[in-house]
Amino acid sequence: MEERRSMTSRQKSAWRSLALVTLVPALLIGCQRAETASAPAELEPPTVVVAETKEGTLETGLTLTGKVKGSVELMLLPKASGRVARVAVAVGDPVKAGALIVELDASDVEAQIRQAEAAVRAAEAGKESAEAQAEAQIAQARQAVLQAEEGVKQAEKSLAAAQYARDLAAKNVERVTKLKDAGLATDVELEQAEQQKKQAEAALQQAESARDNAAQALEVAKLNLQIAEQRLGAKAASAQLEQARAGLQAALHQRENLRITAPVGGVVASLPVAVGDLVSPQVAVATIVNMRPARVVVDVPEQALDAVAVGQAVTVSVGDRTVPGTVKVKDLTPNPQTRSYRVEVEVPNDDGALVSGQSATVVFPPEGAPTVLLVPADAVLPSKDTGKGTVFVYEDGVVHERTVELGRETKSFVEIRAGLKAGEKVVVKGQYLLRDGDRVRLTDEGTSGKPAP
């Protein structure tokens, strides 16, 4: 290690000497030109690449290979068959939940909707007419009840008068009979009295019959009122209206099914249809993917399942890019063919650099592995002090030389025990000619794709 660092130091000195040899003539020529030029030209600041200091583990742990996918990957299937009338998006377009993706031809459904709307209007008119008829029937039935009640009253009065007349005729027969027995009345007078009694009894029977008929008429009138108050015709019309509205709603729902919208937000990943294509519910018309955050799917062997836990922090590498991840899903039943368990790891992807289908390597640290502060090994310059090194910290276009205390290291990363904080950016390319306080600019690479594991 010391030999490697010494060679690096010699290389650094050689580079600086070469730079001085190259720069001195250039500076002399520049000074001569500056004496004759009206406005001296400024040297552009050197370009560098930086990487962010992160926390991680140096232990190897369990390493598995998987595939990158979106946190949401949804295939859109139409709910009805039809011909594509409109494609509202293109592959790569960001969409929000509810956004229109594909619209099918709705000409037939529009005709059904117009028919259903006409049926609703007719049913509404029928309901209004039935309700008006019901009100009229109720009013007539109430009037009939009032008339029947009045008829009962009159019949009861007539019955009372007939009963009084019959009683009076009966008393008259008794009086005439006594007079005849005393020789004071004739047989003719007795016969006349008895005839009057018979007539009064007949009149009483008629009055009783009239009273019973009036009572029955009242019961019939009350029953008719109850029937009228049930508004059977209006209820039937209301049922017809509800049926017509249901038909309209079904037609509207059918039209809505011809509009294929995004159920979630994301990006259109595939769109295998064009205007005029005939589609059915068995074939997807688009795929919506949300890659922010992304997920990596790996198959964990049965013997390694105990090394994986939901919520566990892991390291994910895709190409030369390494990012932290978190275990989000751990299946508890194996794949019947491979006998492995599906695990999903969530990784940040704010810049959208990770794409669905990429191969990824996931490192699950061993249980109990300590978390330390790490920087890429390329960022550390050797120091004459044992156990220490030098880094250049980038901040707002300026670099500052800083001495750091080193710990363990691997081929790719070095543990920083003191001198740096997580989140600070260090130079990993272009640092050999830098001095403390130099102004620099970032290359097109910007930040290195190798953060700490």
Side-chain angles (χ1 to χ4, degrees):
M1 178 63 68
E2 291 297 331
E3 181 181 354
R4 182 175 68 83
R5 289 180 177 168
S6 298
M7 290 179 65
T8 306
S9 178
R10 288 196 297 271
Q11 292 173 355
K12 177 181 177 184
S13 299
W15 276 104
R16 286 182 173 170
S17 298
L18 179 60
L20 290 174
V21 171
T22 305
L23 289 175
V24 168
L27 290 174
L28 291 175
I29 294 173
C31 290
Q32 292 173 356
R33 290 178 177 176
E35 291 177 356
T36 57
S38 58
E42 295 184 1
L43 293 176
E44 291 188 359
T47 58
V48 298
V49 177
V50 299
E52 187 175 335
T53 306
K54 293 179 179 288
E55 292 183 343
T57 59
L58 284 176
E59 285 75 2
T60 303
L62 174 66
T63 301
L64 297 173
T65 301
K67 289 290 185 181
V68 177
K69 65 183 288 288
S71 54
V72 174
E73 287 192 359
L74 190 61
M75 298 175 63
L76 302 186
L77 299 173
K79 296 180 180 179
S81 299
R83 197 168 296 279
V84 176
R86 178 188 175 194
V87 178
V89 296
V91 173
D93 285 353
V95 294
K96 295 182 179 180
L100 177 65
I101 305 299
V102 173
E103 187 173 13
L104 305 184
D105 180 53
S107 55
D108 292 341
V109 177
E110 291 293 346
Q112 295 176 9
I113 291 175
R114 289 192 293 271
Q115 290 178 353
E117 289 173 342
V120 168
R121 290 192 294 270
E124 288 175 342
K127 180 183 178 183
E128 291 178 358
S129 176
E131 288 179 344
Q133 291 178 2
E135 292 295 336
Q137 289 173 356
I138 291 173
Q140 292 175 357
R142 286 175 178 170
Q143 183 63 31
V145 169
L146 293 176
Q147 292 175 353
E149 288 175 343
E150 184 62 26
V152 169
K153 291 179 181 178
Q154 294 297 328
E156 288 177 346
K157 290 180 179 180
S158 298
L159 178 59
Q163 287 175 341
Y164 179 76
R166 192 274 314 269
D167 294 341
L168 185 60
K171 290 180 180 180
N172 186 48
V173 169
E174 291 177 359
R175 182 182 65 79
V176 173
T177 299
K178 289 179 180 180
L179 290 175
K180 180 179 175 300
D181 292 340
L184 299 178
T186 64
D187 291 336
V188 175
E189 290 177 337
L190 179 59
E191 288 177 2
Q192 290 177 348
E194 289 176 349
Q195 185 64 31
Q196 291 175 353
K197 178 182 176 183
K198 290 178 181 181
Q199 291 175 353
E201 288 176 348
L204 177 60
Q205 290 178 355
Q206 291 178 354
E208 289 175 346
S209 179
R211 192 271 316 271
D212 293 340
N213 290 338
Q216 290 179 357
L218 177 59
E219 292 300 322
V220 171
K222 289 181 178 180
L223 180 59
N224 290 335
L225 176 59
Q226 290 178 355
I227 294 174
E229 288 177 341
Q230 291 178 1
R231 300 172 180 266
L232 297 179
K235 289 181 179 180
S238 296
Q240 291 176 352
L241 175 59
E242 290 302 320
Q243 184 177 6
R245 286 174 175 171
L248 175 59
Q249 190 62 35
L252 293 173
H253 184 67
Q254 187 175 357
R255 182 177 64 180
E256 188 62 27
N257 286 342
L258 299 178
R259 291 172 50 86
I260 304 167
T261 59
V264 295
V267 175
V268 180
S270 67
L271 195 63
V273 296
V275 173
D277 289 350
L278 188 64
V279 299
S280 66
Q282 289 73 37
V283 181
V285 298
T287 302
I288 303 297
V289 176
N290 186 351
M291 298 296 299
R292 302 183 183 182
R295 290 201 174 188
V296 176
V297 180
V298 296
D299 292 328
V300 179
E302 182 178 358
Q303 60 271 22
L305 190 61
D306 291 340
V308 179
V310 175
Q312 180 181 8
V314 299
T315 302
V316 179
S317 298
V318 181
D320 62 351
R321 177 186 179 93
T322 302
V323 293
T326 305
V327 177
K328 288 295 184 181
V329 177
K330 175 185 176 182
D331 284 359
L332 300 180
T333 55
N335 184 305
Q337 282 76 36
T338 63
R339 303 302 301 170
S340 60
Y341 293 78
R342 177 186 174 93
V343 170
E344 292 189 15
V345 176
E346 186 173 281
V347 293
N349 189 31
D350 294 339
D351 58 359
L354 300 181
V355 180
S356 180
Q358 289 179 302
S359 296
T361 300
V362 181
V363 178
F364 298 84
E367 186 176 358
T371 300
V372 296
L373 189 64
L374 300 175
V375 298
D378 295 340
V380 181
L381 299 175
S383 172
K384 61 181 180 180
D385 297 328
T386 303
K388 294 188 177 181
T390 301
V391 298
F392 282 91
V393 181
Y394 173 85
E395 183 178 2
D396 297 332
V398 179
V399 293
H400 300 283
E401 187 175 3
R402 190 181 299 178
T403 299
V404 293
E405 182 179 338
L406 307 178
R408 298 172 298 161
E409 63 180 270
T410 64
K411 181 180 179 181
S412 301
F413 298 98
V414 177
E415 175 187 357
I416 303 298
R417 293 181 176 175
L420 282 176
K421 296 183 297 183
E424 290 188 297
K425 295 179 179 179
V426 294
V427 179
V428 295
K429 288 184 181 180
Q431 69 269 44
Y432 289 100
L433 297 180
L434 297 178
R435 295 184 181 276
D436 184 59
D438 282 354
R439 295 196 64 81
V440 297
R441 62 187 181 89
L442 299 181
T443 65
D444 294 338
E445 299 179 66
T447 301
S448 169
K450 291 186 177 180

